[in-house]
Amino acid sequence: STAQTGSDVSDSYRLALCCSTCTTRSCCCWPPTWSSLPFFTRARPVHTPSLGVGGDADINRALTKQLGIEGVLLLKLELGSAADAAGLRGTKIDRDSDIFPGDIIVTINNQAIDSVATLLARLDDHRVGDRVALRIWRGGKTMDVQVVLQRSG
């Protein structure tokens, strides 16, 4: 395939980004340049489903290991997000820098969630507007919560 420039590419292209963390816009190669993108694939505009939460793979691994639970710790929730509307709770830090863990997503539609990557993969199995069943761990107890997925962004 031939190289394409920004002027050759419309919004109807889905970009395959240079690394898995580019989609979170938190890696060293964000924003991508056209030369850093390995290829383009023709697709409909992408509307990725989201819970409206923030997390970090490294922090998640450390804190869930310390708590002895497998899942994804919610570090923050976007105000008015799908997760916020469902009553989920993000992690809090007080004035003394004490950490109060937020909810931990353990399953999505009865499928185990053991990492941020797994959570993102399970969300990709759905569409914006789908209702998903989450099992969460909060303060030593599990509970089930229904969430209607929102559009990421």
Side-chain angles (χ1 to χ4, degrees):
S1 83
T2 60
Q4 297 185 17
T5 64
S7 61
D8 299 326
V9 180
S10 74
D11 289 339
S12 66
Y13 282 88
R14 180 178 184 165
L15 304 178
L17 300 174
C18 56
C19 74
S20 62
T21 57
C22 278
T23 56
T24 64
R25 298 182 175 155
S26 64
C27 75
C28 61
C29 53
W30 189 266
T33 60
W34 295 113
S35 61
S36 71
L37 299 173
F39 59 89
F40 298 97
T41 57
R42 183 118 175 118
R44 293 174 290 151
V46 178
H47 301 296
T48 307
S50 172
L51 295 168
V53 299
D56 178 273
D58 294 330
I59 293 171
N60 183 71
R61 267 192 300 279
L63 289 176
T64 55
K65 182 177 181 179
Q66 184 178 356
L67 293 167
I69 185 122
E70 199 168 84
V72 172
L73 173 67
L74 302 183
L75 291 180
K76 64 178 184 173
L77 274 65
E78 297 171 13
L79 189 61
S81 68
D84 186 31
L88 296 179
R89 298 179 185 167
T91 299
K92 305 281 187 213
I93 301 174
D94 70 10
R95 292 181 194 166
D96 299 323
S97 299
D98 292 325
I99 298 173
F100 298 92
D103 294 334
I104 297 175
I105 299 174
V106 179
T107 67
I108 205 169
N109 290 342
N110 295 317
Q111 294 180 307
I113 302 298
D114 61 357
S115 68
V116 172
T118 302
L119 175 62
L120 294 174
R122 295 289 179 257
L123 289 174
D124 281 343
D125 293 339
H126 298 279
R127 294 176 179 228
V128 173
D130 284 355
R131 180 178 300 273
V132 295
L134 301 180
R135 173 155 292 151
I136 63 167
W137 183 88
R138 178 185 290 166
K141 299 177 184 175
T142 58
M143 52 191 294
D144 295 322
V145 178
Q146 298 285 318
V147 180
V148 177
L149 298 176
Q150 68 182 47
R151 186 177 181 174
S152 66

